[in-house]
Amino acid sequence: MKKRNIYKDIVSLALGCILIVWMAQGLNFWKQQQKTFTFQIQSQTEITNAVVKELEKLSGLYEFTPNASCNVSVQLEEYTMETVLTGIELTACPLKWKAAQKEIQRGAAPILFFGKEAFQGFSDVNGNPPGKRQILEWIARYQELEVRLTQESGQELRGKISGILESPSAGIYMDEGQMQEIYGTFARITGGVLKIKGKQNMEKAREILEGSGFLVEL
């Protein structure tokens, strides 16, 4: 009887395992290139038609939903903050909630959504930021808080917080429709939601956008 070559069997088994790993990696790579990635972008300046045309050149881009925003002063208790209030499509944006009301009832008063890190932007009359304990207290009872919003024109409104966002973690947001109703005259396009197909395209787009000064949050 011919003696079995155990070393040949080991090599064959190893090559078979390597082939299986390669096939699995190839399949995973293919799936990643078919996947759609959605992320929020924000600019310090207005996004003009010329900028939109440049965005359209991003590989894999098949949808860009612009968001309007306006500059406001926000007062919470004895703390204030100068910031940008951004309107978002709640069903279109890639939002991750830390906490949110089950039902969001729109009315005349602004309904706001705070990124969990947005509270760090407040300061008191002496320029001191709120402490960690104060921020945690605000987040814990966010539904009870009342904020005052003052627009550049001097218009002042009292608003409520209806949710805390895990992501985007920075900034203050409101429903795009309500943004247009309240601040439409003063709002401008400074951000939006991008949808890009393919992981490589997403990574390249993120590199280009961040290199151009955009804040990008997946």
Side-chain angles (χ1 to χ4, degrees):
M1 179 180 290
K2 188 177 180 179
K3 188 175 181 180
R4 189 178 182 88
N5 190 334
I6 188 169
Y7 297 104
K8 184 178 180 180
D9 291 343
I10 293 174
V11 171
S12 298
L13 179 61
L15 289 174
C17 291
I18 292 172
L19 181 60
I20 292 172
V21 170
W22 281 351
M23 290 177 64
Q25 290 177 340
L27 179 61
N28 182 61
F29 177 81
W30 181 83
K31 287 181 178 179
Q32 289 295 320
Q33 302 320 306
Q34 304 307 308
K35 186 177 178 181
T36 298
F37 295 85
T38 303
F39 50 88
Q40 180 92 19
I41 64 170
Q42 190 67 35
S43 172
Q44 295 293 327
T45 58
E46 186 171 6
I47 297 178
T48 62
N49 289 333
V51 175
V52 172
K53 288 182 180 179
E54 290 300 312
L55 291 175
E56 290 172 349
K57 296 178 183 178
L58 294 172
S59 298
L61 175 71
Y62 72 88
E63 185 177 315
F64 171 61
T65 305
N67 297 147
S69 64
C70 67
N71 296 323
V72 294
S73 174
V74 184
Q75 182 178 347
L76 174 57
E77 297 177 354
E78 70 270 25
Y79 294 86
T80 59
M81 169 173 53
E82 302 294 328
T83 190
V84 174
L85 180 62
T86 303
I88 56 175
E89 293 286 350
L90 296 178
T91 56
C93 287
L95 305 177
K96 294 180 182 179
W97 297 96
K98 182 178 180 67
Q101 291 183 346
K102 292 182 179 180
E103 294 185 9
I104 300 173
Q105 297 181 351
R106 278 180 49 186
I111 301 299
L112 309 174
F113 312 102
F114 274 55
K116 66 178 184 179
E117 297 175 4
F119 295 99
Q120 298 173 15
F122 283 102
S123 61
D124 61 19
V125 292
N126 297 313
N128 299 315
K132 290 183 178 180
R133 181 176 297 179
Q134 176 65 81
I135 292 175
L136 290 174
E137 180 188 334
W138 281 337
I139 291 176
R141 60 183 186 90
Y142 73 91
Q143 298 180 59
E144 305 170 15
L145 302 177
E146 180 180 80
V147 294
R148 292 186 180 184
L149 302 172
T150 305
Q151 207 271 332
E152 290 176 317
S153 65
Q155 177 191 27
E156 181 179 302
L157 294 171
R158 295 174 184 247
K160 302 291 288 185
I161 302 175
S162 282
I164 305 296
L165 290 164
E166 188 76 32
S167 175
S169 59
I172 302 176
Y173 305 87
M174 69 187 302
D175 176 70
E176 177 73 18
Q178 191 178 48
M179 163 69 76
Q180 293 298 336
E181 290 175 6
I182 298 176
Y183 298 110
T185 305
F186 306 96
R188 55 184 183 144
I189 304 300
T190 58
V193 177
L194 283 173
K195 291 186 178 181
I196 290 185
K197 185 175 182 179
K199 185 176 181 180
Q200 285 187 326
N201 289 334
M202 178 274 291
E203 291 174 344
K204 184 62 177 178
R206 184 171 188 174
E207 179 183 344
I208 292 172
L209 290 165
E210 290 180 338
S212 300
F214 284 91
L215 173 65
V216 180
E217 289 202 57
L218 291 172

